[in-house]
């Protein structure tokens, strides 16, 4: 008998033996967290240039693990809405669609139907959730992790959905699009000072009517606003106390804004601000071993290159200083500098100095003064001085870097639709497709099969209400909220009501 036991031990190893009580699946008993970070519109040369500008390694460098394909279902070059929807839901989709995939509706038009995202899956499991961004929090990328609409431009609608998604932490710009869920008691802050003092488990902060300032400009022009690193640290501190763990989405939004302007100073400002936020997130992940950190760009922008036609013959003899020294002369981004320009343009040379463009010839200054688009003139001159090239003022289609740290971290060259699968595996979330079937049921079909008469009461899409009537029972579902009324009595739903202009989708 002893020989048989010994033989089994040698064959199967120690796992054959039962673990001690209290030790079984000890690692699984620890709460699990995910920090999902996106630097919007950031290609490889932006990262390289930022590293040269800093003169030291980036926090991102230590967690580089692969690359990500970014194309959408209709184009080799994606927009932010389709890219973010892919990362949030696992579905490729169309331009402007937020958390939706296309289908042909009963009216014959192509419309979007909502699909569940990983933040909703985390919330369904009882985890805390948070969103941090330097754009309006209703902007395309954060919106795809928290709402469902056929157009990224429906920002008031997105804000209303976010208010009813029971998001614990919501920090960024977009005050003008924000909404309030009357049934929730949420602490609201407006400044860095108020953010620093805030305590508790639920916090919404709106630090600008639209987007927040570029980090370089913030220090001089908007010191009352927190940095992305400030917001990241606060969100992590508050979410870390949740007993079941959390899912936190963070976007460094404005590399993309600067890319659309071809402003290399703005791009560096925001790439370094994002890296500082990564440093905060990485420090947290190292202290909390069950935390998965993912950082990635959603797409490239501008086609920025270190090197242009000026360096056709000299690229082999062009040190890093040739690229970064002109940028370091700027104390404000082009947006920040031009915001200080007087209407009569009498202080133009002061503005040029703030953007690092001293010593220009008078003919160039006259040209700038007469220009209809001063920002465009300034960034063109800066690119020339810094030997930088730009191929577009739009997005670009290259693969982007993947950065990750922690258990079950993604690695290698993957698709953006693979990312939510990695998150779900780490957090042990339910299937997103199963959650979609629970959260988004066609209301008309559901109620008419049960003998109700139905109608869509539409003033405008954001105020639309689905109504089902049977006998003396009247049930109303207002769009973009997590509530319904049964004969006037309000009830809370496990998800939000989505209306795509034709069909209402309601949670089960």
């Amino acid at each position: 008998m002893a020989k048989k036991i010994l033989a089994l031990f040698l064959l199967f190893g120690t796992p054959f033996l039962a673990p001690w009580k209290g030790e079984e699946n000890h690692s699984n008993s620890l709460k699990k967290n995910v920090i999902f970070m996106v630097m919007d519109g950031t290609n490889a040369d932006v990262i390289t240039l930022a590293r040269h500008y800093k003169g030291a390694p980036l926090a991102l460098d230590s967690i580089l693990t692969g690359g990500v394909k970014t194309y959408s279902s209709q184009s080799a070059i994606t927009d932010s809405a389709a890219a973010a929807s892919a990362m949030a839901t696992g579905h490729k989709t169309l331009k402007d669609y937020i958390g939706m995939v296309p289908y042909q509706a009963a009216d014959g038009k192509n419309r979007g139907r909502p699909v569940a995202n990983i933040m909703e899956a985390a919330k369904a499991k009882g985890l805390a959730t948070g969103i941090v961004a330097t754009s309006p929090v209703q902007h395309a990328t954060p919106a795809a992790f928290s709402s469902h609409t056929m157009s990224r431009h429906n920002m008031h609608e997105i804000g209303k959905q976010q208010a009813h998604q029971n998001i614990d932490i919501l920090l960024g710009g977009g005050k003008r699009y924000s909404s309030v869920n009357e049934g929730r008691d949420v602490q609201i802050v407006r400044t860095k000072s108020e953010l620093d003092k805030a305590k508790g488990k639920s916090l919404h902060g709106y630090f600008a009517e639209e987007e927040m300032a570029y980090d370089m400009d913030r220090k001089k022009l908007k010191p009352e606003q927190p940095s992305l690193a400030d917001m990241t640290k606060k969100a992590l501190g508050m979410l870390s106390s949740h007993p079941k763990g959390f899912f936190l989405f963070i976007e460094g939004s404005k590399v993309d804004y600067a890319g659309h302007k071809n402003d290399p100073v703005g791009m560096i400002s925001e790439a370094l601000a994002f890296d500082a936020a990564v440093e905060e997130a990485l420090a947290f992940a190292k202290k909390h071993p069950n935390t998965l950190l993912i950082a990635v760009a959603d797409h490239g922008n501008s086609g920025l290159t270190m090197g242009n036609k000026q360096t056709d013959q000299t690229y082999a003899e062009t040190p890093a200083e040739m690229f970064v020294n002109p940028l370091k002369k700027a104390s404000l981004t082009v947006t920040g500098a031009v915001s200080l320009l007087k209407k009569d343009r009498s202080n133009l040379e002061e503005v040029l100095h703030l953007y690092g463009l001293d010593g220009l010839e008078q003919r160039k200054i006259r040209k700038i003064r007469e220009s209809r688009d001063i920002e465009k003139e300034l960034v063109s001159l800066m690119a020339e001085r810094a030997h930088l090239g730009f191929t577009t003022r739009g997005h670009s289609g290259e693969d982007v870097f993947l950065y990750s740290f922690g258990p079950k971290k993604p690695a290698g060259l993957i698709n953006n639709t693979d990312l939510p699968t990695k998150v779900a595996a780490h957090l042990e979330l339910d299937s997103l497709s199963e959650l979609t079937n629970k959260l988004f049921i066609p209301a008309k079909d559901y109620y008419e099969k049960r003998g109700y008469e139905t109608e869509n009461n539409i003033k405008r899409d954001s105020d639309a209400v689905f109504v089902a009537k049977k006998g003396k029972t009247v049930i109303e579902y207002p769009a973009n909220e997590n509530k319904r009324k049964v004969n006037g009595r309000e009830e809370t739903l496990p998800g939000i009501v989505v209306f795509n202009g034709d069909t209402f989708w309601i949670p089960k």
Side-chain angles (χ1 to χ4, degrees), residues 132-154:
V132 174
T134 49
S135 67
V137 292
Q138 306 85 4
H139 211 247
T141 311
F145 284 79
S146 55
S147 63
H148 307 271
T149 179
M150 284 178 58
S151 175
R152 59 181 290 178
H153 304 294
N154 296 334

Side-chain angles (χ1 to χ4, degrees), residues 2 11 13 56 110 127 138 171 204 214 217 236 268 280-282 302 343 412 431 435 444 465 471 503:
L11 178 62
N110 288 325
L127 277 68
Q138 306 85 4
L171 303 174
H204 289 193
Y214 288 98
D217 301 341
L236 289 170
I268 296 304
E280 290 287 350
L282 186 56
S302 79
K343 285 186 177 181
S431 160
L435 186 59
K444 181 181 175 69
V465 179
T503 301

Side-chain angles (χ1 to χ4, degrees), residues 154 156-158 160 458-465 478-481 499:
N154 296 334
H156 286 288
E157 183 177 324
I158 292 165
K160 194 170 185 180
I458 305 170
K459 296 178 183 177
R460 54 183 181 177
D461 286 2
S462 60
D463 294 326
V465 179
N480 308 310
E481 298 186 16
F499 180 57

Side-chain angles (χ1 to χ4, degrees), residues 55 65-66 72 77 107 128 218 230 252 268 285 301 321 327 338 368 475:
T65 53
S72 73
I77 303 175
D107 60 5
R218 175 187 58 81
D230 292 334
I268 296 304
N301 191 339
E321 290 76 17
L327 305 179
V338 172
I368 295 168
I475 306 176

Side-chain angles (χ1 to χ4, degrees), residues 355-479:
Y355 191 58
L357 292 174
D358 292 319
L360 288 177
E361 300 172 9
Q362 283 302 312
R363 63 179 180 85
K364 289 188 176 180
I365 294 176
R366 284 196 298 272
K367 181 183 177 184
I368 295 168
R369 183 172 276 116
E370 295 168 2
S371 174
R372 292 182 178 181
D373 190 342
I374 288 184
E375 285 192 3
K376 189 173 182 178
E377 295 289 342
L378 267 56
V379 297
S380 179
L381 288 168
M382 180 59 79
E384 183 180 346
R385 285 194 173 186
H387 302 87
L388 302 173
F390 290 94
T391 63
T392 177
R393 283 185 166 238
H395 293 178
S396 49
E398 71 273 22
D399 299 337
V400 296
F401 286 137
L402 169 66
Y403 304 90
S404 58
F405 177 86
K408 298 183 181 179
K409 65 183 180 184
L413 180 61
I414 64 174
N415 213 312
N416 55 8
T417 51
D418 296 325
L419 291 168
T421 303
K422 298 292 185 181
V423 171
H426 173 66
L427 294 177
E428 299 177 345
L429 303 178
D430 293 338
S431 160
L432 290 182
S433 60
E434 291 179 9
L435 186 59
T436 294
N437 293 334
K438 294 177 181 178
L439 289 181
F440 305 112
I441 299 169
K444 181 181 175 69
D445 293 347
Y446 179 84
Y447 276 101
E448 288 188 353
K449 285 178 181 178
R450 288 158 177 77
Y452 284 77
E453 294 181 357
T454 68
E455 66 174 315
N456 295 348
N457 187 345
I458 305 170
K459 296 178 183 177
R460 54 183 181 177
D461 286 2
S462 60
D463 294 326
V465 179
F466 173 80
V467 182
K469 298 178 181 179
K470 184 178 180 182
K472 295 182 179 181
T473 301
V474 179
I475 306 176
E476 301 170 283
Y477 289 84

